[in-house]
Amino acid sequence: MPAQIEGPGWEIRTGDFREVLADLPDESVDAIITDPPYNLESVALYSDLSAFAGRVLKPGRLCVVCCGKHVLPGYFERLGEHLDYIWTAAV
């Protein structure tokens, strides 16, 4: 279920980003930290995420994506459609 929490100068929204974040203006976001689904059926979401982040992030800001490693090359390919790769961390 979508939710929104806010404070002075910040907010957290949960839900399908294509719906709950559709109102965000271009270059208005300082950071995106997200944990999309890790299944094969969801790989296409990473293209949508790349386009969205490329539009709303302020220049030089980060999109941090938690993801599974079983289709990591596919995630990289799709995120690279609108974003520059910086780093991979593994836990």
Side-chain angles (χ1 to χ4, degrees):
M1 171 175 255
Q4 184 171 338
I5 303 166
E6 23 187 324
W10 62 270
E11 64 183 282
I12 297 173
R13 299 182 190 185
T14 63
D16 187 325
F17 70 93
R18 296 168 296 181
E19 297 169 8
V20 300
L21 302 175
D23 63 323
L24 295 179
D26 294 356
E27 297 185 356
S28 65
V29 174
D30 289 311
I32 296 172
I33 302 170
T34 186
D35 190 11
Y38 296 175
N39 55 44
L40 288 174
E41 296 78 28
S42 299
V43 173
L45 288 175
Y46 290 75
S47 289
D48 293 342
L49 175 59
S50 178
F52 171 76
R55 179 182 71 79
V56 302
L57 282 172
K58 293 176 182 176
R61 303 307 170 108
L62 295 177
C63 177
V64 177
V65 181
C66 300
C67 60
K69 58 187 177 183
H70 67 289
V71 286
L72 199 55
Y75 298 146
F76 282 157
E77 179 181 340
R78 290 179 180 271
L79 289 169
E81 292 170 2
H82 298 276
L83 301 172
D84 294 325
Y85 170 82
I86 295 178
W87 194 257
T88 301
V91 177

